Amino acid sequence: CGARGILVEALEEWSGKGDDIFGTVQRAFGLCDELGYKTLRYDADGLGAGVRGDGRVINERKSDPGFRLKIEAFRGSGAVLHPEREDVKGRKNQDFFANLKAQSWWSLRTRFQKTFRAVKDGVEFDPDEIISLPRDLKLLGKLSLELSRPTYSVNTVGKIVIDKTPDGTKSPNLADALMIRFSSIQRSLVIPDAVIAASKRPQYGERAHHNFRFR
């Protein structure tokens, strides 16, 4: 799923049968290059765990560093973001969502809800909190069906749990990709290679010491 801001502009799907994860990563990289995207986000749970390593190999083969993609991991099984904040009024995120997947699906649900109210009822909205699906978007019909599939329940400790594949349904791959694309994730600190190289050069003679502190 590819998007610029709130506008979804690309949906693609393919079977991995007869191929491996590396082949899928290559294809995803190719789509990003074709569409001019600078970041590739992937599902890091399960089979996707090896994507970062494959992505690093592909990036290293690009002679121009400017064409290398930033790779971001989405871990739906991970902890919720902003645990003390109340995405749902009256409930702290850490008490309302079982994990990041539940929080991200709920966030996408809210985004569509705000879009509907803005279009249907003329309710005022924050332009960053809605979503736009063009009528001519490839696979729009299938995406719409998949978005209606996931259900939620409340577990024994009162937290929201998402069931993406209720009995008799297939995994909603397109809807999953959309959810991951619009999810907020905890970004890791990235230190440019030039900074790392500079940190290895003694500044005050051979016995110079360098102290780095990150908060």
Side-chain angles (χ1 to χ4, degrees), residues 14-99:
W14 60 89
S15 172
K17 186 176 182 180
D19 202 350
D20 54 21
I21 297 297
F22 188 79
T24 286
V25 177
Q26 282 183 309
R27 183 162 178 175
F29 263 69
L31 287 170
C32 287
D33 291 341
E34 178 183 336
L35 295 166
Y37 297 140
K38 301 299 183 182
T39 301
L40 174 65
R41 184 178 293 184
Y42 69 98
D43 185 348
D45 287 330
L47 291 175
V51 169
R52 181 176 293 278
D54 291 341
R56 183 173 60 250
V57 170
I58 297 172
N59 266 334
E60 289 173 350
R61 292 177 180 175
K62 296 184 177 183
S63 57
D64 186 346
F67 288 98
R68 294 175 182 174
L69 292 180
K70 179 181 179 182
I71 305 173
E72 293 183 342
F74 171 84
R75 293 184 174 84
S77 60
V80 300
L81 296 180
H82 313 294
E84 295 292 327
R85 194 173 72 186
E86 296 180 0
D87 288 351
V88 176
K89 189 174 181 180
R91 296 286 300 275
K92 291 182 178 180
N93 291 342
Q94 62 186 359
D95 299 325
F96 190 71
F97 301 111
N99 49 30

Side-chain angles (χ1 to χ4, degrees), residues 170-188:
K170 296 181 179 179
S171 179
N173 296 323
L174 294 174
D176 245 346
L178 184 73
M179 176 273 293
I180 292 173
R181 168 57 184 82
F182 281 90
S183 172
S184 297
I185 64 173
Q186 189 70 49
R187 289 177 167 82
S188 58

Side-chain angles (χ1 to χ4, degrees), residues 197-213:
S199 72
K200 297 178 180 179
R201 299 192 206 107
Q203 296 179 358
Y204 305 105
E206 292 298 321
R207 296 183 180 181
H209 296 279
H210 302 273
N211 295 317
F212 292 88
R213 297 175 183 174

Side-chain angles (χ1 to χ4, degrees), residues 117-178:
R117 290 175 176 172
V119 173
K120 187 73 172 177
D121 303 322
V123 176
E124 291 187 7
F125 61 92
D126 183 333
D128 291 331
E129 295 180 351
I130 60 173
I131 190 169
S132 177
L133 303 177
R135 292 181 179 179
D136 61 351
L137 180 66
K138 181 182 177 182
L139 299 173
L140 177 60
K142 186 172 184 180
L143 171 65
S144 300
L145 288 174
E146 289 187 359
L147 286 169
S148 67
R149 248 178 236 163
T151 61
Y152 75 88
S153 58
V154 180
N155 65 16
T156 55
V157 293
K159 296 183 180 183
I160 294 294
V161 177
I162 299 297
D163 182 7
K164 298 188 304 179
T165 54
D167 293 343
T169 64
K170 296 181 179 179
S171 179
N173 296 323
L174 294 174
D176 245 346
L178 184 73

